[in-house]
Amino acid sequence: SMMDGKEFPLPRVTHEFQDPKTGEIMPLQITPYRGESGLHGNTGSIGMNIDDRSFSRANPVLNQKTGKYSDYKVLDGSETLEDYQKRGYMTALYDALESYLADYSPGSKFLPSDNLSPEMQRLWQKRLTPNVPARRGVTGRPTFGPDIHINRG
């Protein structure tokens, strides 16, 4: 139905990201890609980037049993160029994606990819730990608490 929040086209959304080291302000963009028609739920990927410095993509997950796409999306190809690492770029992308899914695809959740670098493992460990004080997201409002985070159990 049109009410389930999963119909494309979803909007493209732009936030501002400030590099904490240089003070530069850059666009952080969330770009949804059209998947198959709505027969199987939300089959589109969602791309995210900060300038050409940091990027990731959230891909839909096919439920092998039902042949339908689940509410999960798996992150793929997450990368921040070496010169810009450890400045919060990827955390900002994930916060923005979380906010985007909450607004436009309620019930959707995202998972880390299976082959995480040690840095990414630490980032996810932080995200998945309850009782971490709410970070302020790129939009200036608090990011969501542990209940929106997901583990693979």
Side-chain angles (χ1 to χ4, degrees):
S1 77
M2 291 302 285
M3 297 306 292
D4 67 2
K6 293 184 184 173
E7 305 300 325
F8 277 76
L10 292 175
R12 182 174 185 157
V13 171
T14 303
H15 298 286
E16 288 184 339
F17 172 79
Q18 185 165 26
D19 185 306
K21 191 169 173 186
T22 65
E24 294 165 278
I25 292 179
M26 286 160 287
L28 183 163
Q29 289 176 314
I30 305 274
T31 308
Y33 297 97
R34 185 184 290 281
E36 299 167 29
S37 67
L39 294 173
H40 304 292
N42 190 344
T43 65
S45 294
I46 298 175
M48 337 164 231
N49 68 288
I50 298 174
D51 201 48
D52 54 1
R53 298 178 179 186
S54 186
F55 34 89
S56 184
R57 192 172 171 117
N59 295 321
V61 179
L62 186 63
N63 180 324
Q64 301 296 341
K65 288 192 187 116
T66 64
K68 293 186 185 301
Y69 285 88
S70 76
D71 282 333
Y72 293 101
K73 291 191 181 294
V74 172
L75 292 162
D76 183 43
S78 299
E79 187 184 348
T80 300
L81 298 184
E82 204 170 340
D83 289 350
Y84 304 105
Q85 289 174 6
K86 299 189 172 42
R87 297 193 202 172
Y89 280 71
M90 195 57 68
T91 297
L93 285 182
Y94 288 179
D95 286 348
L97 175 64
E98 208 166 57
S99 163
Y100 185 89
L101 291 176
D103 287 344
Y104 299 109
S105 189
S108 291
K109 300 174 178 67
F110 63 98
L111 297 164
S113 65
D114 286 323
N115 47 350
L116 292 178
S117 69
E119 293 78 23
M120 295 295 286
Q121 284 171 13
R122 281 194 289 277
L123 190 154
W124 273 94
Q125 208 44 55
K126 274 188 213 149
R127 290 192 82 82
L128 295 171
T129 307
N131 309 320
V132 173
R135 301 167 311 286
R136 300 212 60 88
V138 278
T139 54
R141 65 184 185 192
T143 56
F144 299 88
D147 58 325
I148 199 165
H149 300 308
I150 224 48
N151 55 42
R152 289 181 178 276

